[in-house]
């Protein structure tokens, strides 16, 4: 008997809860179907700005809209709200600023509140500062730190492509830009060639300035290098007239670094070492040899003797 009473009591409770929920749902639906005042803050989006211009500043990025709508429409809007677009292609001007005026007659919300009655926009006017877009070509400065493993190196060094880019933005800002930089990259103990992409940036961030492109490619061709030397005859230039000049020694060793694949190409005749008598000093009998021609595939050129002796005979 006790179990029957308990089951009856639980059944009555379920019926009561069900009726309560149904009545509450009907009450909410009735209220949602009624019109009531609402105020929503809507973000603004800006569209159709000519490529010749840039938007430097707007007086606001959102607008507060007051109006009347059904609770049901407002409830849906809270979950699916949309931005309010402003067409910048043909705005009127007030002095140096362009502006857009909201009106309840011509401006309607989108989404579930598209049929709402709007009573107020706050602010009712948005002001825009526009500037003419300006393009300028500037060089790219690489910011790489490179160290090679012993016996390795690169004849060309780090190459970047392109070596200059376009900066675009307000003319007043772009005029101050003379170069852009790669991001800092460190390469240590390099034994093999490297290639990839690296981002670009300005020395300091400037609003509304765009880098085109904002990344570039880099390439580092690495070779195994060896040291070599050749004996080269000294050539005398600017010898004073009516005298005979002699130098000691007559040949000099030129020392250089070259990649292994080009080692056999190196010839003594590829180098030109001169002694310039325009640099002669009456108080000295020595001159400094100068290397003025080298093959394009060698580097780190030096000579074995820093000075040579000379003799002038009339």
């Amino acid at each position: 008997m006790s179990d029957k009473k308990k089951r009856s009591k639980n059944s009555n409770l379920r019926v009561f809860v069900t009726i309560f929920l149904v009545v509450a749902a009907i009450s909410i639906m009735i209220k949602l179907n009624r019109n009531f005042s609402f105020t929503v803050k809507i973000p603004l989006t800006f569209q159709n700005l000519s490529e010749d211009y840039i938007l430097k500043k707007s007086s606001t990025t959102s607008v507060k809209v007051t109006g009347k709508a059904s609770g049901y429409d407002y409830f849906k809007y809270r979950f699916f709200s949309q931005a309010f677009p402003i067409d910048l292609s043909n705005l009127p001007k007030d002095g140096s600023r362009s502006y857009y005026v909201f009106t309840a007659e011509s401006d309607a919300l989108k989404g579930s509140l598209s049929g709402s009655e709007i009573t107020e926009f706050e602010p009712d006017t948005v002001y825009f500062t526009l500037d003419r877009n300006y393009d300028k070509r500037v060089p790219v400065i690489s910011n790489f730190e490179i160290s090679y493993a012993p016996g390795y190196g690169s004849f060309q060094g780090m190459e970047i492509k392109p070596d200059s880019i376009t900066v675009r933005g307000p003319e007043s800002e772009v005029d101050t830009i003379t170069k852009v930089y790669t991001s800092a990259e460190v390469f240590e103990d390099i034994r093999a060639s490297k290639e990839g992409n690296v981002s670009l940036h300005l020395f300091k961030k400037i609003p509304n300035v765009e880098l085109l492109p904002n990344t570039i490619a880099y390439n580092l061709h690495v070779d195994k290098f060896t040291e070599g030397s050749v004996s080269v005859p000294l050539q005398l230039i600017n010898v004073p007239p009516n005298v005979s000049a002699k130098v000691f020694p007559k040949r000099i060793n030129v020392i250089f670094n070259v990649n292994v694949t080009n080692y056999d190409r190196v010839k003594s005749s590829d180098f030109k070492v001169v002694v310039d008598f325009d640099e002669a000093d009456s108080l000295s009998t020595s001159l400094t040899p100068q290397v003025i021609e080298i093959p394009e595939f060698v580097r780190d050129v030096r000579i074995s003797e820093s000075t040579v002796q000379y003799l002038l005979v009339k």
Side-chain angles (χ1 to χ4, degrees), residues 44-50 55 83-93 98-102 106-107 110 126-128 130:
L44 302 176
T45 59
F46 309 118
Q47 303 175 350
N48 301 325
L49 181 63
S50 168
L55 175 60
F84 191 100
I86 294 180
D87 189 344
L88 301 179
S89 61
N90 191 26
L91 294 175
K93 282 196 168 187
S98 301
Y99 64 92
Y100 181 89
V101 179
F102 294 101
S106 58
D107 291 317
K110 293 187 176 182
V126 185
Y127 292 93
F128 303 97
L130 305 180

Side-chain angles (χ1 to χ4, degrees), residues 201-270:
H201 63 86
L202 299 169
F203 180 72
K204 63 177 181 179
K205 187 173 178 60
I206 302 177
N208 302 315
V209 171
E210 185 179 8
L211 306 184
L212 303 171
N214 60 10
T215 61
I216 61 170
Y218 68 82
N219 180 66
L220 179 65
H221 183 74
V222 176
D223 280 316
K224 188 170 180 60
F225 275 73
T226 187
E227 187 174 88
S229 67
V230 291
S231 178
V232 179
L234 293 175
Q235 300 184 34
L236 312 184
I237 62 174
N238 298 319
V239 177
N242 303 319
V243 299
S244 175
K246 295 183 179 181
V247 294
F248 308 95
K250 294 182 179 181
R251 302 178 70 92
I252 199 166
N253 287 331
V254 178
I255 305 164
F256 54 86
N257 281 320
V258 62
N259 57 24
V260 174
T261 56
N262 287 324
Y263 183 81
D264 291 335
R265 294 177 58 192
V266 182
K267 299 177 183 178
S268 173
S269 57
D270 294 332

Side-chain angles (χ1 to χ4, degrees), residues 39-94:
T39 298
V40 292
K41 189 175 183 179
I42 301 176
L44 302 176
T45 59
F46 309 118
Q47 303 175 350
N48 301 325
L49 181 63
S50 168
E51 289 187 358
D52 294 334
Y53 286 88
I54 190 168
L55 175 60
K56 292 186 68 175
K57 186 173 64 174
S58 63
S59 60
T60 183
T61 57
S62 62
V63 62
K64 187 185 294 185
V65 182
T66 302
K68 293 181 180 180
S70 71
Y72 181 69
D73 288 339
Y74 177 71
F75 180 78
K76 286 196 301 181
Y77 185 83
R78 298 300 296 178
F79 290 94
F80 305 101
S81 58
Q82 299 182 23
F84 191 100
I86 294 180
D87 189 344
L88 301 179
S89 61
N90 191 26
L91 294 175
K93 282 196 168 187
D94 177 15

Side-chain angles (χ1 to χ4, degrees), residues 113-124:
L113 292 180
S114 58
S116 62
E117 177 187 347
I118 297 175
T119 57
E120 183 182 13
F121 289 95
E122 183 184 349
D124 63 358

Side-chain angles (χ1 to χ4, degrees), residues 146-158 189-194 220-226 257-260 299-300:
I146 305 171
S147 63
Y148 299 97
Y152 290 84
S154 174
F155 186 79
Q156 299 90 347
M158 181 66 76
D189 198 36
I190 298 300
R191 299 170 181 266
S193 298
K194 301 285 184 182
L220 179 65
H221 183 74
V222 176
D223 280 316
K224 188 170 180 60
F225 275 73
T226 187
N257 281 320
V258 62
N259 57 24
V260 174
R299 66 175 197 172
D300 304 330

